[in-house]
Each structure stands twice: as structure tokens, then as C-alpha cells.
């Protein structure tokens, strides 16, 4: 059993995006994406994985295979890994997303990052 404080992973991005890992195993990774105002997580896929995105702070426009969905605080979205995923910070502040990916997929997805 592990206990985490989600706010420990809230960080002001130095550039566009600050990704902070919370947990990693062979089966799942969990992290927070901190996306600066007006910035975009470019379109990408996660192959055979399933993703869950939950807005913790801010608001997002999520584009999956060309379809736009607006997400507000507390809303949760499931995305199949084969779908092209793009996230746009559509709010006035930093967008903070709690994300899980299962199975983990590439080891490259399982590290902190500053973009």
C-alpha cells in the first residue's frame, strides 16, 4: 500500500509542460501533467494501452482522432491507446491532469519530463 498527495506533483511548468511521475509498475503508470496556459500536448498515440485523464485543476479541450471533448475539473475521460490524443489547455490557468496508462507500454512514458 502506498499513499500519495496529488498536490505534491503539481508544478509550474518551466516551459510548456511539466510531467511528474507518481507511480510506475509493469502494469500501470500514474502521473500528473501540468500544462501551461495556452499550451498544447501534441497529438500522439499509446498503442495497446488504455489511458484515463482526470482534470484536477483548469479546463481542457481533448482531441481524439479529430473529435473534440471539453473537460472540466472532476471530469474523467477514457482513451484507447490507438486513438490519436491531443490535449489543449483551454483555461486561464495551469491545466493539471491526473493520468493513468495501462499497461505501461514504452519505458519512455514512465519518466518525469519538462517540455
Amino acid at each position: 500500500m502506498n499513499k500519495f498527495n496529488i498536490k505534491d506533483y503539481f508544478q509550474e511548468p518551466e516551459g510548456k509542460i511539466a510531467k511528474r511521475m507518481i507511480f510506475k509498475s509493469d502494469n500501470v503508470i500514474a502521473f500528473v501533467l501540468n500544462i501551461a496556459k495556452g499550451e498544447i500536448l501534441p497529438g500522439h498515440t499509446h498503442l495497446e494501452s488504455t489511458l484515463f485523464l482526470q482534470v484536477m485543476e483548469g479546463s481542457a479541450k481533448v482531441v481524439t482522432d479529430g473529435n473534440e471533448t471539453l473537460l472540466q475539473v472532476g471530469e474523467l475521460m477514457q482513451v484507447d491507446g490507438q486513438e490519436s490524443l491531443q490535449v489543449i489547455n483551454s483555461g486561464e490557468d495551469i491545466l493539471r491532469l491526473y493520468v493513468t496508462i495501462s499497461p505501461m507500454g514504452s519505458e519512455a512514458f514512465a519518466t518525469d519530463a519538462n517540455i
Side-chain angles (χ1 to χ4, degrees):
M1 196 281 294
N2 295 301
K3 181 180 177 182
F4 304 94
N5 183 339
I6 195 87
K7 290 192 176 187
D8 289 345
Y9 304 90
F10 289 7
Q11 187 168 16
E12 181 133 359
E14 294 175 13
K16 299 176 181 183
I17 300 170
K19 175 183 173 186
R20 296 296 173 257
M21 291 298 303
I22 299 171
F23 179 80
K24 175 180 109 171
S25 74
D26 292 339
N27 298 323
V28 67
I29 59 173
F31 55 90
V32 172
L33 280 180
N34 301 275
I35 303 175
K37 178 181 174 182
E39 296 297 341
I40 298 171
L41 177 67
H44 63 289
T45 62
H46 287 274
L47 305 174
E48 299 302 317
S49 299
T50 298
L51 289 75
F52 282 91
L53 312 167
Q54 182 179 8
V55 177
M56 306 302 292
E57 291 183 356
S59 56
K61 179 167 42 173
V62 179
V63 183
T64 53
D65 287 343
N67 299 308
E68 296 182 2
T69 303
L70 298 177
L71 292 179
Q72 303 298 322
V73 172
E75 293 183 316
L76 182 67
M77 181 176 195
Q78 178 268 322
V79 179
D80 290 327
Q82 300 88 357
E83 294 178 282
S84 175
L85 170 68
Q86 178 186 55
V87 179
I88 301 164
N89 181 345
S90 59
E92 295 300 315
D93 296 304
I94 296 172
L95 170 62
R96 302 189 196 280
L97 295 173
Y98 174 69
V99 182
T100 64
I101 301 176
S102 179
M104 176 178 67
S106 170
E107 186 70 29
F109 296 137
T111 59
D112 284 351
N114 294 304
I115 301 168

